[in-house]
Amino acid sequence: MGANSSSISELPENEYLQKLSGSEPISENDPFWNQLLSFSFTTPTNSADLKLLEEATISVCKSLVEKNPRTGNLGSLIKVFLSRTKELKISAECQNHLFIWQAHNALFIICCLLKVFISRMSEEELQLHFTYEEKAGPSSYGTECEDLIEELLCCLIQLIVEIPLLYPCQHTDSNWWKWLCSWYRGRYSGGVTSALGDITYSISLEAVTTLIVFLSCQLFHKEILRESIIHRYLMHGRCLPYTSRLVKTLLYNFIRQERSPPPGTHVFQQQTDGGGLLYGIASGVATGLWTVFTLGGVGSKASAQLEQCSPLASQSLLLLLVLANLTDTPDTPNPYRQAIMSFKNTQDNTAFSSSNPHAFQINFNSLYTALCEQQKSDQATLLLYMLLHQNSNVRTYVLARTDIENLVLPILEILYHVEERNSHHVYMALIILLILTEDDGFNRSIHEVILKNITWYAERVLTEISLGSLLILVVIRTIQYNMTRTRDKYLHTNCLAALANMSAQFRSLHQYAAQRIISLFSLLSKKHNKVLEQATQSLRGSLGSNDSPLPDYAQDLNVIEEVIRMMLEIINSCLTNSLHHNPNLVYALLYKRDLFEQFRTHPSFQDIMQNIDLVISFFSSRLEQAGAELSVERVLEIIKQGAVALPKDRLRKFPELKFKYVEEEQPEEFFIPYVWSLVYNSAVALYWNPRDIQLFTMDSG
């Protein structure tokens, strides 16, 4: 920030901000607005800049909150913004080329003010600030005046869906936009990309950010908002027809990952001939407020995060997640969720269902590529979960891909680095695997994909391994981590369910994967024996004393035995359905055969142990007949021969292991705080005071 920091401290004394937050009403036609809005700056690129700005201007914002009911200056500013955006669309005859620039600046100020207003008042109070009407008197609110909230929301959505990026003339039929492109090409030697692209990118980002701010009232409530004025506007009335276009645009923003203009790049700059756009109106203002307002400007660097990604893509994805998780109203299901649930591939020529007016088409190949590339972020993983769980068209397409490893490998990396991820991200990654393993085709195909040199897997050098075997390794590692660290039953259940779904289609398991399956069973066996011993000692120690309550070892034993039974069922499922495809598993089973002795007569495991005991006995007998001092290769050869000779009817059939992911009742109780924690932690250039947050604790994200 450098020298700007000391200058920003002077903002509360600036004459333009003082007038905006003062006691005098300012008409929307007052020349003051041209002065206020004619500034050139780089939009703040991180929350630290916004925090600094908010702290410097909090007195101004408080004054506006107090005096706006009498002055209506917030409403005037919004009307000025609306007029600027409307002027953009009038016709090619429009002669004032400053409107898009001033519209962007007005929107930035509105967003900053809204954030403060929303954090300090209820939605009902906010609505009153929007409904001031001068005709009704200096201290009253109009009831019949136009609804500025709805108009502003609708305008923001129109900006997002109608302003294309970079070379928009090639992608739109809008006459006004074609004219604007043509004008820019003649005005700027750098072409539309260097000039128009910068400002359209910025105003698109600002519109997305302002919509997020509008919805941020949820942050300041502990309970999930089921009735909201802002939600009602977005799900009914004038905003509703834009639902599918908004969702589609936000998805394409995510897909394209357009980089932001370099810091310090401005569209409206003074021309060298002295006749520039900025100079004509604002040269007299340059020494006022906005010379000190260049957060992140020339001479400063954008954050490392912004250098690696697209702020517009990131912000668009966050807005999409927020919209998709708005609660249904009693009479209307969430239209944004409906749009996400029903969109189709551009290559799908089947008719849309008449029951869903919000359906649309999008390029699935581009979407798939973006999802594969962006899985390092919580929000991209959450989007993938939503699409797989809720949109059958996307799920069918993903499962049909022949390069499924491009999607699965990033998910496995998330689970592998479980220590570095938050629990919600791990859950989402695990549930994605569970959803994928519900499909038998997926379970077969992953064993046909051979991977080379998995560098991020550190426990062992894996020069060649199937995707299926790697998936098993990572899931087992997650179970073992959970057993020693978090001890989360929910995590255990989903890990085991994914393994169970795959077990009947285990094929050519890597020797290390087979070893880890048996090693996990060994770990469970030791834990079972330890808890049994603790229970026995506790019971003996309590015989002479009735003072202290016994620990609930029965519950611990019950949980461990459930997990042990599931592991035995997974092993049994593989042996029953694909024994001849998995000699390495049989080898590992024989090598650790003593582990299973104690469970042969255990009442909870007797039935499931029959097949495992039969396989161990059958192959042990054949190995004994082959003599002593057998090499590993010879043992595997005997196992392969024995697998053909073993009569299949000797193995008892059990019901097929199949688990299906089902969302719990009231999923919004989990997802809404999760989504807003992502917004709080990840949104570009948005800052909220952590002391004001009510929806979640600071460590929940």
Side-chain angles (χ1 to χ4, degrees):
M1 299 293 290
N4 289 338
S5 299
S6 59
S7 299
I8 288 174
S9 65
E10 300 170 6
L11 285 176
E13 311 305 322
N14 182 270
E15 60 177 304
Y16 299 105
L17 288 183
Q18 285 189 338
K19 183 171 182 178
L20 177 65
S21 60
S23 302
E24 294 298 321
I26 307 172
S27 165
E28 60 193 276
N29 299 315
D30 196 301
F32 164 81
W33 300 111
N34 277 335
Q35 296 173 318
L36 179 71
L37 302 178
S38 296
F39 61 89
S40 183
F41 76 106
T42 300
T43 303
T45 57
N46 56 65
S47 59
D49 285 345
L50 262 295
K51 179 182 179 183
L52 190 63
L53 174 64
E54 184 170 311
E55 290 173 347
T57 57
I58 191 64
S59 61
V60 173
C61 294
K62 287 181 178 179
S63 177
L64 187 61
V65 169
E66 177 186 349
K67 296 174 183 176
N68 186 69
R70 295 186 295 277
T71 66
N73 287 343
L74 175 63
S76 295
L77 173 60
I78 291 169
K79 289 178 181 179
V80 170
F81 165 71
L82 294 172
S83 70
R84 296 296 191 271
T85 56
K86 287 175 183 176
E87 289 290 339
L88 292 174
K89 304 173 186 179
I90 291 178
S91 69
E93 285 75 31
C94 175
Q95 295 299 308
N96 194 330
H97 313 306
L98 285 174
F99 284 138
I100 191 170
W101 172 43
Q102 292 194 345
H104 171 270
N105 293 347
L107 184 54
F108 177 78
I109 299 172
I110 290 168
C111 185
C112 291
L113 293 174
L114 272 178
K115 194 166 70 65
V116 176
F117 273 59
I118 289 171
S119 68
R120 292 176 173 270
M121 62 185 67
S122 66
E123 284 187 305
E124 290 75 18
E125 291 174 294
L126 179 68
Q127 192 173 35
L128 292 178
H129 280 272
F130 274 76
T131 53
Y132 169 84
E133 187 178 21
E134 188 176 358
K135 293 178 182 178
S139 61
S140 60
Y141 298 96
T143 56
E144 299 179 357
C145 62
E146 58 186 336
D147 196 325
L148 275 182
I149 292 184
E150 183 173 41
E151 189 168 358
L152 178 56
L153 288 169
C154 200
C155 178
L156 293 173
I157 294 173
Q158 288 173 339
L159 279 175
I160 293 169
V161 302
E162 292 182 3
I163 292 187
L165 302 175
L166 298 181
Y167 288 97
C169 301
Q170 301 173 11
H171 306 292
T172 180
D173 295 325
S174 172
N175 289 329
W176 70 271
W177 203 261
K178 286 182 178 179
W179 164 81
L180 198 55
C181 290
S182 175
W183 181 86
Y184 267 96
R185 287 198 180 100
R187 189 82 181 184
Y188 288 92
S189 59
V192 179
T193 299
S194 61
L196 185 60
D198 293 348
I199 193 64
T200 57
Y201 190 103
S202 296
I203 199 169
S204 296
L205 176 58
E206 208 60 55
V208 171
T209 301
T210 306
L211 273 180
I212 291 175
V213 168
F214 250 125
L215 291 159
S216 66
C217 52
Q218 177 65 81
L219 282 171
F220 312 106
H221 293 80
K222 288 183 179 180
E223 303 297 325
I224 301 301
L225 289 180
R226 302 185 186 279
E227 301 237 350
S228 164
I229 294 171
I230 305 301
H231 295 184
R232 190 162 62 245
Y233 282 126
L234 289 171
M235 294 166 63
H236 298 82
R238 293 171 56 190
C239 295
L240 186 61
Y242 291 96
T243 297
S244 59
R245 291 177 65 191
L246 178 58
V247 171
K248 183 176 182 178
T249 302
L250 295 175
L251 277 172
Y252 268 127
N253 286 348
F254 166 70
I255 289 169
R256 289 169 180 148
Q257 294 290 317
E258 295 283 0
R259 299 297 178 94
S260 62
T265 301
H266 305 302
V267 177
F268 296 92
Q269 306 239 352
Q270 183 173 338
Q271 301 280 311
T272 55
D273 60 6
L277 284 155
L278 173 61
Y279 192 74
I281 285 183
S283 59
V285 186
T287 57
L289 167 63
W290 303 112
T291 53
V292 302
F293 191 30
T294 53
L295 301 177
V298 179
S300 65
K301 288 186 176 181
S303 67
Q305 180 185 10
L306 291 181
E307 291 175 356
Q308 300 298 323
C309 66
S310 161
L312 180 60
S314 175
Q315 211 85 325
S316 295
L317 179 52
L318 289 171
L319 175 58
L320 181 63
L321 294 175
V322 170
L323 291 171
N325 285 281
L326 298 180
T327 54
D328 297 333
T329 61
D331 58 334
T332 308
N334 181 344
Y336 302 97
R337 188 183 301 118
Q338 285 188 313
I340 287 174
M341 291 171 63
S342 59
F343 70 81
K344 303 190 301 183
N345 195 353
T346 49
Q347 297 179 353
D348 187 343
N349 296 319
T350 59
F352 286 112
S353 171
S354 58
S355 62
N356 187 357
H358 307 300
F360 62 90
Q361 290 179 296
I362 203 167
N363 188 310
F364 276 17
N365 182 60
S366 300
L367 176 61
Y368 180 81
T369 300
L371 288 168
C372 292
E373 292 174 350
Q374 300 300 321
Q375 283 308 305
K376 289 184 179 179
S377 74
D378 281 71
Q379 44 267 44
T381 305
L382 181 54
L383 175 64
L384 176 58
Y385 158 78
M386 286 171 46
L387 295 179
L388 289 175
H389 178 56
Q390 299 177 0
N391 190 313
S392 59
N393 300 319
V394 173
R395 184 167 61 253
T396 300
Y397 176 85
V398 167
L399 289 169
R401 292 285 302 206
T402 57
D403 59 348
I404 192 67
E405 68 273 14
N406 291 340
L407 187 68
V408 175
L409 282 172
I411 298 300
L412 295 183
E413 268 201 84
I414 294 169
L415 293 176
Y416 184 80
H417 296 293
V418 59
E419 304 94 338
E420 303 167 14
R421 305 289 181 178
N422 69 71
S423 60
H424 290 2
H425 199 185
V426 172
Y427 284 150
M428 289 300 101
L430 187 54
I431 292 170
I432 287 168
L433 288 185
L434 178 56
I435 293 172
L436 292 174
T437 61
E438 292 171 12
D439 182 76
D440 286 340
F442 171 84
N443 295 331
R444 286 190 295 270
S445 66
I446 56 176
H447 293 287
E448 298 168 2
V449 177
I450 304 301
L451 307 170
K452 306 281 188 180
N453 299 317
I454 308 302
T455 56
W456 47 262
Y457 194 92
E459 278 82 354
R460 177 165 173 160
V461 176
L462 299 175
T463 55
E464 185 174 292
I465 189 171
S466 71
L467 179 61
S469 289
L470 181 63
L471 196 159
I472 292 167
L473 284 175
V474 172
V475 171
I476 287 176
R477 185 180 184 275
T478 305
I479 294 174
Q480 291 178 322
Y481 174 83
N482 186 50
M483 286 176 63
T484 57
R485 305 284 183 87
T486 56
R487 299 183 181 180
D488 187 327
K489 184 180 178 181
Y490 181 83
L491 197 73
H492 262 3
T493 301
N494 285 285
C495 284
L496 292 167
L499 289 176
N501 284 345
M502 293 187 292
S503 59
Q505 279 85 32
F506 282 173
R507 294 289 187 277
S508 303
L509 290 184
H510 190 280
Q511 61 180 19
Y512 186 52
Q515 290 170 15
R516 299 310 296 164
I517 291 173
I518 304 304
S519 294
L520 175 58
F521 187 82
S522 174
L523 181 64
L524 290 167
S525 176
K526 291 176 182 177
K527 193 169 184 64
H528 180 266
N529 293 340
K530 182 178 180 180
V531 174
L532 267 179
E533 183 180 350
Q534 288 174 334
T536 303
Q537 290 177 352
S538 178
L539 184 61
R540 288 172 180 168
S542 65
L543 291 178
S545 173
N546 296 321
D547 297 336
S548 57
L550 285 173
D552 193 0
Y553 289 112
Q555 183 178 358
D556 290 346
L557 267 178
N558 184 52
V559 171
I560 294 171
E561 289 181 357
E562 283 180 6
V563 176
I564 288 175
R565 178 165 182 94
M566 181 69 81
M567 282 302 302
L568 289 172
E569 288 180 346
I570 289 167
I571 295 170
N572 178 73
S573 174
C574 177
L575 297 178
T576 305
N577 293 282
S578 55
L579 182 147
H580 56 293
H581 289 299
N582 293 289
N584 284 327
L585 181 62
V586 177
Y587 184 101
L589 200 64
L590 294 172
Y591 190 76
K592 292 285 188 178
R593 71 189 79 177
D594 294 343
L595 277 175
F596 299 89
E597 285 292 333
Q598 63 176 309
F599 300 108
R600 184 181 299 168
T601 57
H602 195 291
S604 298
F605 311 121
Q606 276 182 320
D607 57 337
I608 204 72
M609 277 296 303
Q610 290 179 20
N611 285 341
I612 297 173
D613 195 34
L614 173 63
V615 168
I616 291 174
S617 300
F618 177 83
F619 284 98
S620 295
S621 174
R622 293 181 74 91
L623 290 175
E624 288 173 4
Q625 294 173 15
E629 303 298 329
L630 299 175
S631 66
V632 173
E633 291 75 14
R634 177 59 181 151
V635 171
L636 286 172
E637 184 182 347
I638 294 170
I639 289 172
K640 290 175 184 177
Q641 294 170 351
V644 177
L646 177 64
K648 301 297 185 292
D649 56 0
R650 291 183 61 185
L651 296 174
R652 176 183 170 185
K653 293 292 183 182
F654 286 85
E656 185 180 12
L657 288 180
K658 274 297 173 186
F659 293 88
K660 186 176 179 62
Y661 170 71
V662 179
E663 275 188 350
E664 295 184 3
E665 292 185 14
Q666 296 186 317
E668 65 275 9
E669 298 288 345
F670 170 84
F671 285 104
I672 290 178
Y674 179 33
V675 168
W676 277 107
S677 72
L678 295 180
V679 174
Y680 177 83
N681 289 305
S682 307
V684 178
L686 273 177
Y687 166 78
W688 287 277
N689 190 324
R691 293 192 298 271
D692 296 334
I693 305 301
Q694 298 293 317
L695 181 62
F696 52 81
T697 56
M698 288 301 105
D699 60 351
S700 67

